Amino acid sequence: KIHDGSWLNPHYIVFTSQNKVIISETDERDRVNTIEIAEIKNPDILWNKNEKRLYILSEGSLSFLDLLF
């Protein structure tokens, strides 16, 4: 089951599924590439496109990743 989907740009989406934070490309020219960037309990994510920062909240702890998109 997919939760908390956010578009990083027109070609990439970030979402959570089964305690994982996942980024997937949507370009269909070849095969779809997907990468798990974190595995944590009950993650909630928020993408701030102005800062290019992904915030991850898990069990009261807030983390972030700066992404180069």
Side-chain angles (χ1 to χ4, degrees):
K1 194 171 185 182
I2 294 176
H3 299 278
D4 296 333
S6 293
W7 289 98
L8 301 176
N9 64 31
H11 304 288
Y12 292 89
I13 189 168
V14 63
F15 57 91
T16 62
S17 179
Q18 300 176 351
N19 292 328
K20 297 176 184 171
V21 180
I22 301 167
I23 294 178
S24 183
E25 73 174 345
T26 59
D27 184 349
E28 296 179 351
R29 288 180 290 176
D30 194 11
R31 62 185 174 99
V32 174
N33 292 312
T34 300
I35 185 168
E36 296 174 10
I37 59 172
E39 185 168 350
I40 51 181
K41 288 186 178 180
N42 303 315
D44 287 315
I45 58 172
L46 174 69
W47 169 244
N48 183 318
K49 71 177 183 178
N50 295 326
E51 296 177 346
K52 296 187 177 186
R53 183 170 281 177
L54 179 65
Y55 291 94
I56 304 170
L57 179 64
S58 174
E59 298 186 321
S61 178
L62 183 64
S63 304
F64 67 87
L65 296 171
D66 290 323
L67 301 177
L68 302 174
F69 285 94

